[in-house]
Amino acid sequence: MTSSSDPVTIPEPEDSSASRARPIDVALLSSVFVIAACGLLYELAAGALASYVLGDSVLQFSTIIGTYLFAMGVGSWLSRYFERQLPAHFLRIELMVALVGGALPATLFLANAYVPGAFRVLLYGMVMLVGTLVGLEIPLVMRILKRNVQLKDLVSQVLTFDYLGALAVSLAFPLLLVPQLGLVRTGLLFGFMNAAVAVWALWLFRHELRRFRSHALACALVIASLLAGLIGADHITKFAEDKFYQDRIVLSSATPYQRIVVTHGKPGFRLYLNGNLQFAERDEYRYHEALVHPVMAAHGAPKRIAVLGGGDGMAVREVLKYPSVESVVLVELDPAMTQLFSQHPMLTQLNSNALNDPRVKTMNTDAFQWLQAGTGTFDVIIVDFPDPTNFAIGKLFTNSFYALLDQRLSASGYAVIQTTSPLIARKSFWTVVETIESVGLKATPYHAHVPSFGEWGFVIASRRPWRLPEKLPEGLRFLSLQSTPLMFDFPLDMARVPAQVNRLSNQVLVHTYEQEWGQVGH
């Protein structure tokens, strides 16, 4: 306590200059925005490439993010050993991030084409290195800013700019950057942005840097390397993909959903999605005739048809061979697919210009959501999704999806689902059969030999028993009334095995599929 005679000390006004941001501090805080954006982009690029090459996007993104965050923690811990010449250390780290992070997509593309066995090691090695360097950046910036900014303001300002940078790139990456620039050019562009931060630091701290000319030369060399990469980005991608696909690439496109590549060689045109073959021109008729005609011909006079997936228009081409067809709804998630196969002359020739038929209506939306939101029923529903390589596709093979499918199927209608290979992925095939039956639909499995894929499986789902068709359209190259019954006979090595129901909550099919196909070649 104080008595009335004690002198009263009146605190002096706080010097506002300590909390007032100087131009150099504003510049550094702006750099934090760029640093955060670049760091997250390298993480997203690594996750996208891993899902393209290794499949199972949930697993790949989860492990990439975990590795990256761990590496950032390592970098933050290592920052304690940087004591002097902090601006010089910051500049060097920015240049290293620019080179390693900017080159990450191009390096991994080339590795997948030329040394595929080293892809996984290189992927996680580069993620670890970039994460460590990014983990060093923010602590160094905060220690430099600490000279002039109070701690409470310092933390809030740095974190605010950090989170804003992350938000900006997380939105731009799938919506703008990948569709417009592609992964290789996007990585190099953001590497250039990291290099620009280094140049900015070179100018801001020019009076503190002991070896200004050496730093300036390093900045110039890094920027020149990245610019050369940007100029040659198309050649880098073509160089890698020509080796990977072997045949000449005639079309390639990176979309928010997948990488589309069309090649041309001795087998004719081939379509690849994320590196996985979807059809080969020389034998696609076998696959699409087997997929479409057993249900279309068995119905008798189908009028309203839905095709889910199959954005290449091949299944629609077969559907339109029936004069009774009045309308076809094609539900394809990726608008780039339907645009390519409805406008490009080489591709419209393959599907007989089916997507431009006035009876065909294209819906670019998620099939699961379309089934949930839609009304009305269809005589035939053809489900032509890619194999369940990840959980995003796996949801389209669950009992929840088939329950929705049942609601959109007319009482006398048939649905058919392409269902991977019953020979190579035997348990996966019968998992789909088990899942269809779990929602009360009758499942009628069958198979056909497609040379590009081997033995391939399909399942008919319906409320009434399926019956053999009495008539098929003229001009078919594979199916006949005599050969059709043979597809419904399963030899011992493809016969039914016990399987679980594939549910949204567990997605056992994705794990089973990955395990079975992963054994191929081992």
Side-chain angles (χ1 to χ4, degrees):
M1 295 182 62
T2 59
S3 65
S4 59
S5 61
D6 291 334
V8 178
T9 302
I10 300 175
E12 295 182 3
E14 194 176 273
D15 185 5
S16 61
S17 63
S19 59
R20 186 184 302 123
R22 301 184 307 160
I24 191 172
D25 302 328
V26 174
L28 281 173
L29 285 171
S30 301
S31 298
V32 171
F33 179 91
V34 177
I35 289 169
C38 291
L40 181 60
L41 182 123
Y42 304 140
E43 183 181 359
L44 292 173
L49 274 166
S51 65
Y52 285 177
V53 175
L54 303 176
D56 192 353
S57 58
V58 173
L59 174 64
Q60 302 309 327
F61 270 99
S62 179
T63 54
I64 291 295
I65 291 171
T67 303
Y68 189 83
L69 291 176
F70 170 74
M72 286 182 66
V74 172
S76 297
W77 181 80
L78 290 175
S79 68
R80 64 193 296 183
Y81 296 105
F82 293 80
E83 297 179 357
R84 300 178 180 178
Q85 287 289 303
L86 295 184
H89 290 310
F90 175 71
L91 188 151
R92 295 187 193 104
I93 289 168
E94 282 303 300
L95 292 178
M96 291 175 66
V97 174
L99 272 179
V100 180
L104 184 146
T107 303
L108 292 177
F109 262 125
L110 291 169
N112 183 50
Y114 289 89
V115 281
F119 178 84
R120 196 184 298 265
V121 174
L122 187 61
L123 167 70
Y124 286 97
M126 294 190 74
V127 168
M128 191 73 189
L129 178 57
V130 173
T132 301
L133 293 171
V134 172
L136 283 166
E137 289 174 316
I138 299 300
L140 291 181
V141 169
M142 293 181 71
R143 287 168 63 186
I144 294 170
L145 286 169
K146 190 178 177 182
R147 304 170 181 175
N148 307 299
V149 181
Q150 291 183 353
L151 182 61
K152 65 180 181 68
D153 296 324
L154 172 63
V155 174
S156 65
Q157 289 173 2
V158 168
L159 291 181
T160 297
F161 278 83
D162 184 64
Y163 295 149
L164 286 174
L167 172 64
V169 81
S170 65
L171 295 175
F173 182 78
L175 300 177
L176 178 64
L177 296 171
V178 173
Q180 298 299 322
L181 300 177
L183 277 174
V184 171
R185 190 177 280 108
T186 295
L188 290 165
L189 175 64
F190 275 72
F192 182 79
M193 291 170 63
N194 268 123
V197 170
V199 172
W200 189 232
L202 178 70
W203 173 254
L204 290 176
F205 301 106
R206 59 191 181 278
H207 300 302
E208 297 184 41
L209 297 173
R210 294 176 180 176
R211 300 177 180 176
F212 180 84
R213 290 185 178 180
S214 298
H215 290 304
L217 178 61
C219 289
L221 290 174
V222 169
I223 289 174
S225 300
L226 292 168
L227 284 175
L230 277 171
I231 294 170
D234 289 336
H235 296 289
I236 294 172
T237 303
K238 187 176 185 302
F239 187 66
E241 290 187 333
D242 282 350
K243 174 68 175 179
F244 181 79
Y245 294 107
Q246 297 181 345
D247 292 333
R248 181 173 60 91
I249 295 174
V250 294
L251 284 171
S252 63
S253 175
T255 79
Y257 308 103
Q258 58 201 347
R259 180 158 187 82
I260 304 170
V261 173
V262 179
T263 66
H264 188 265
K266 290 183 178 179
F269 290 100
R270 288 182 175 182
L271 170 67
Y272 295 86
L273 299 181
N274 293 342
N276 298 311
L277 179 65
Q278 301 302 304
F279 74 73
E281 182 183 1
R282 69 179 176 185
D283 58 18
E284 59 81 14
Y285 67 91
R286 279 179 161 251
Y287 172 89
H288 291 104
E289 287 184 14
L291 172 70
V292 172
H293 296 297
V295 288
M296 288 290 291
H299 186 280
K303 295 181 179 179
R304 300 187 71 239
I305 316 299
V307 178
L308 311 185
D312 52 42
M314 306 296 189
V316 175
R317 177 197 66 200
E318 299 301 316
V319 165
L320 294 176
K321 292 179 178 179
Y322 291 81
S324 63
V325 171
E326 296 177 355
S327 65
V328 181
V329 177
L330 172 64
V331 182
E332 164 63 48
L333 178 63
D334 194 346
M337 275 288 291
T338 51
Q339 183 177 3
L340 279 173
F341 282 87
S342 63
Q343 297 181 8
H344 198 285
M346 289 187 300
L347 303 181
T348 56
Q349 186 176 358
L350 294 177
N351 61 28
S352 301
N353 204 28
L355 299 187
N356 293 311
D357 189 286
R359 292 169 289 177
V360 178
K361 179 181 181 182
T362 300
M363 306 285 290
N364 292 123
T365 185
D366 179 84
F368 203 107
Q369 296 177 4
W370 179 79
L371 287 175
Q372 284 179 316
T375 57
T377 59
F378 295 88
D379 299 320
V380 172
I381 301 177
I382 296 165
V383 183
D384 190 18
F385 298 131
D387 278 7
T389 54
N390 58 61
F391 293 112
I393 301 175
K395 74 176 184 179
L396 305 174
F397 289 81
T398 61
N399 60 343
S400 300
F401 181 83
Y402 296 136
L404 293 172
L405 194 70
D406 182 24
Q407 296 174 15
R408 304 299 299 278
L409 200 59
S410 66
S412 60
Y414 294 115
V416 61
I417 299 102
Q418 90 77 15
T419 320
T420 196
S421 171
L423 181 62
I424 296 174
R426 184 177 176 183
K427 190 173 182 179
S428 297
F429 178 84
W430 293 106
T431 295
V432 176
V433 174
E434 186 77 23
T435 305
I436 290 170
E437 292 175 341
S438 72
V439 300
L441 289 169
K442 297 181 185 300
T444 307
Y446 64 102
H447 61 96
H449 184 73
V450 182
S452 293
F453 299 106
E455 206 66 37
W456 211 254
F458 310 87
V459 182
I460 297 170
S462 58
R463 297 196 191 106
R464 61 168 174 158
W466 178 82
R467 61 183 183 183
L468 281 168
E470 298 177 356
K471 183 181 179 181
L472 290 170
E474 295 181 359
L476 299 187
R477 301 166 62 190
F478 173 57
L479 281 189
S480 68
L481 292 177
Q482 293 75 28
S483 65
T484 298
L486 303 177
M487 297 194 298
F488 294 82
D489 178 52
F490 281 79
L492 290 177
D493 59 356
M494 294 192 292
R496 187 162 188 166
V497 293
Q500 299 180 53
V501 174
N502 187 44
R503 306 177 189 276
L504 273 176
S505 58
N506 60 26
Q507 294 236 21
V508 295
L509 178 60
V510 175
H511 300 294
T512 304
Y513 178 90
E514 182 179 6
Q515 181 182 19
E516 291 183 314
W517 278 97
Q519 295 174 355
V520 177
H522 293 282

